[in-house]
């Protein structure tokens, strides 16, 4: 989208007029600095390699100003150049420095913070070793039509998760080979099997989901990366980064040629909190609490505490945080099925842990997971919802005719199939052969969440050949997925207090909230979004894992 230049046409100058008269001023620390908006020689090329930026508040030399003659007198005037939304590397260096400084101040004042891993207690004690969460300094462009497509898909995927979760036979029969070679998935399936044997019915079914997409540059298609059904994180931080970007563009948008209204509103944290509150209400025990299941060390605790704060302040609900080991030590199921932890009845169990094998270092954690599943508490997610989010089930649902097993609406089915990327089992010898020949076109994915687990490039070929030579059944632990090649854009990334220019790709996540009580659908909504951006040379994309930054959308 072309940006319009910001000029001073029609104004009669009798002296040099401060730019702050027309644009919201920066904070006092800038010491009346004037800014140039012409690209400097050091940052004019978007093809340069990654670079860091040092903050400076020195006044610009007058040579950076344009000159205007009015009534015979030469006057100084700052005239900005037009900017395109993906041309962030061409922003004048000093303007960039000052925007970055203000963004870091804003992040600190508004709680866009994580624990700094260099501090030993930063993941255990709140307020110790704080560092701003990694974020993009400016929003990333995204076609409005594809944005609407992603949002419209959220309620359909919510309903699909619920329908598939009720088909215990499908879940068990889709994952038997995976169970043989993947101990983690096997243990989850064992718990699911026990619930089937007990004929345990989840009358209140609740999900906080996030469906992640990339926009394929060649086909211009919106393609799904994965569907997250457990610990769908960053509702709090994504809301804050959207607010930060709107603030930046409100202050500087005219100079940059960008409109803050093009950044769509994002109320993910309040909408996720509202869903948790409604699940608590459906449980119908006003003395019960919501229990967040957390990892023993969690540098991302502040994103979780945002939800807790909204639940407490807006909905008046008590939230407790427990590790699975603590649930095992303090938990019991009362005769009526109520889960009691440390003497408190639990209405809703919200999992922000339990999605990775490292969360189960001993049998204590597995006992806790089974105990919680056997209780009457509302689970977010239940064991069946959790299994629906595995990569193998994603691959099974992409097979011809499978969606028709769960959905009746042909338009909904067509919409879902349109966003499915290529997904294959490793027992498909033709696909395996193609992946060995052209590994750069595929990604190998295990049944894992959290970032840092996928296999790319030559490692795909090496892994497949190794599996073929050994003749093991370990191939059942993986699926093959079409590799998506999104647009690469110029980005400015904020990490560890530094401002870095780089070339990046982005992934859009759409939150969905779903709540059903028996036959009554209480809620089925699209509930905010998460944009994540990473340097284009990085294969992995987790923010907490250190690969990506939090971003927002600029609609084009």
């Amino acid at each position: 989208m072309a940006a319009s230049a910001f000029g001073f046409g029609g104004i009669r100058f009798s002296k040099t007029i401060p730019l702050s008269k027309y644009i919201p001023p920066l904070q006092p620390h800038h010491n009346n600095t004037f800014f140039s908006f012409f690209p400097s020689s050091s940052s004019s090329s978007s093809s340069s390699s990654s670079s860091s930026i040092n903050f400076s508040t020195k006044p610009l030399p007058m040579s950076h100003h344009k000159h205007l003659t009015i009534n015979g007198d030469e006057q100084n005037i700052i005239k900005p150049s037009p900017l395109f939304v993906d041309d962030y590397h061409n922003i004048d260096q000093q303007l960039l420095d000052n925007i970055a400084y203000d963004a870091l101040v804003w992040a600190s004042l508004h709680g866009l913070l994580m624990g700094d891993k260099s501090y030993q207690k930063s993941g255990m004690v709140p307020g110790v070793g704080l560092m701003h969460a990694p974020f993009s300094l400016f929003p990333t462009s995204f076609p409005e039509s594809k944005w609407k497509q992603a949002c419209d898909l959220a309620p359909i995927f919510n309903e699909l998760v619920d329908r598939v979760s009720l088909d215990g036979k499908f879940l068990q029969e889709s994952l038997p080979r995976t169970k043989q070679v993947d101990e983690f998935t096997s243990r989850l399936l064992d718990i699911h099997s026990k619930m089937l044997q007990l004929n345990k019915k989840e009358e209140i079914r609740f999900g906080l989901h996030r469906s992640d997409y990339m926009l394929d540059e060649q086909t211009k298609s919106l393609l799904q990366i994965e569907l997250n059904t457990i610990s769908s994180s960053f509702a709090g931080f994504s809301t804050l980064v959207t607010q930060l970007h709107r603030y930046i563009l409100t202050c500087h948008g005219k100079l940059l040629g960008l409109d803050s209204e093009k950044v769509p509103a994002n109320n993910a944290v309040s909408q996720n909190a509202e869903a948790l509150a409604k699940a608590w209400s459906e449980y119908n025990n006003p003395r019960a609490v919501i229990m967040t299941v957390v990892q023993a060390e969690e540098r991302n605790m502040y994103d979780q505490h945002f939800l807790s704060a909204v639940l407490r302040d807006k909905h008046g609900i008590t939230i407790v945080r427990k590790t699975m080991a603590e649930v095992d030590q303090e938990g019991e199921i009362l005769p009526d099925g109520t889960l009691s932890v440390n003497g408190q009845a639990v209405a809703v169990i919200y999992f922000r842990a339990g999605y990775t094998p490292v969360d189960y270092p001993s049998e204590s954690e597995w006992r806790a997971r089974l105990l919680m599943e056997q209780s009457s508490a509302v689970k977010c997610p239940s064991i069946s919802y959790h299994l629906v989010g595995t990569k193998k089930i994603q691959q099974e649902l992409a097979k011809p005719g499978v969606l028709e097993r769960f959905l009746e609406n042909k338009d909904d089915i067509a919409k879902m199939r349109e966003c499915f990327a290529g997904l294959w089992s490793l027992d498909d010898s033709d696909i395996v052969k193609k992946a060995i020949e052209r590994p750069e076109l595929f990604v190998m994915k295990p049944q894992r969440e959290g970032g840092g687990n996928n296999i790319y490039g030559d490692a795909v070929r090496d892994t497949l050949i190794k599996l073929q030579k050994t003749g093991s059944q370990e191939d059942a632990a993986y699926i093959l997925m079409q590799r998506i090649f999104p647009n690469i854009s110029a980005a400015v990334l904020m990490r560890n207090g530094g401002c870095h220019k780089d070339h990046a790709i982005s992934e859009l996540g759409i939150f969905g909230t779903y709540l059903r009580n028996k036959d009554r659908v209480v809620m089925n909504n699209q509930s905010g979004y998460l944009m994540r951006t990473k340097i284009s040379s990085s294969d992995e994309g987790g923010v907490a894992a250190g690969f990506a930054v939090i971003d927002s959308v600029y609609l084009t």
Side-chain angles (χ1 to χ4, degrees), residues 244-416:
L244 169 60
H245 285 166
R246 284 188 154 196
Y247 164 77
I248 288 172
L249 296 192
T250 296
C251 293
H252 308 286
K254 288 185 178 180
L255 300 171
L256 300 172
L258 303 176
D259 181 2
S260 64
E261 294 301 313
K262 293 288 186 178
V263 179
N266 188 3
N267 299 311
V269 68
S270 60
Q271 290 176 287
N272 276 251
E274 181 184 4
L276 283 160
K278 285 189 175 182
W280 176 86
S281 179
E282 290 294 320
Y283 188 79
N284 197 27
N285 180 353
R287 292 185 298 276
V289 301
I290 292 177
M291 180 175 70
T292 305
V293 180
V294 299
Q295 295 171 333
E297 294 187 30
E298 178 57 270
R299 294 191 301 114
N300 192 31
M301 69 173 78
Y302 305 101
D303 176 67
Q304 301 168 3
H305 280 301
F306 266 104
L307 274 173
S308 299
V310 176
L311 284 164
R312 181 183 61 248
D313 298 342
K314 186 175 180 180
H315 301 283
I317 300 172
T318 300
I319 303 91
V320 298
R321 293 169 62 85
K322 297 289 181 180
T323 64
M324 287 201 286
E326 289 172 332
V327 171
D328 180 47
Q329 295 164 6
E330 303 171 9
E332 62 175 332
I333 297 179
L334 303 182
D336 64 354
T338 299
L339 175 65
S340 174
V341 178
N342 196 26
Q344 292 181 300
V346 177
V348 179
I349 304 167
Y350 173 41
F351 284 95
R352 291 298 293 263
Y355 55 86
T356 175
V358 299
D359 289 341
Y360 300 84
S362 70
E363 285 301 311
S364 175
E365 288 76 18
W366 286 112
R367 285 195 302 267
R369 184 67 187 267
L370 178 60
L371 180 76
M372 291 184 281
E373 203 64 35
Q374 291 174 323
S375 75
S376 64
V378 181
K379 295 95 183 171
C380 181
S382 65
I383 190 68
S384 56
Y385 269 39
H386 185 171
L387 289 171
V388 174
T390 59
K391 305 297 188 296
K392 180 61 179 175
I393 296 299
Q394 182 185 6
Q395 180 251 313
E396 287 291 321
L397 291 171
K399 288 182 176 179
V402 176
L403 284 179
E404 285 79 359
R405 178 171 175 169
F406 303 103
L407 300 173
E408 301 83 25
N409 189 300
K410 292 183 179 180
D411 289 339
D412 288 348
I413 292 171
K415 289 177 182 177
M416 297 186 85

Side-chain angles (χ1 to χ4, degrees), residues 7 32 42 67 69 92 143 148 160 175 224 234 242 269 326 359 370 372 386 390 530:
N32 298 319
S42 62
H67 299 279
T69 302
D92 176 79
K148 290 179 178 178
L160 179 66
L175 293 163
Q224 187 184 50
F234 293 118
T242 300
V269 68
E326 289 172 332
D359 289 341
L370 178 60
M372 291 184 281
H386 185 171
T390 59
L530 167 67

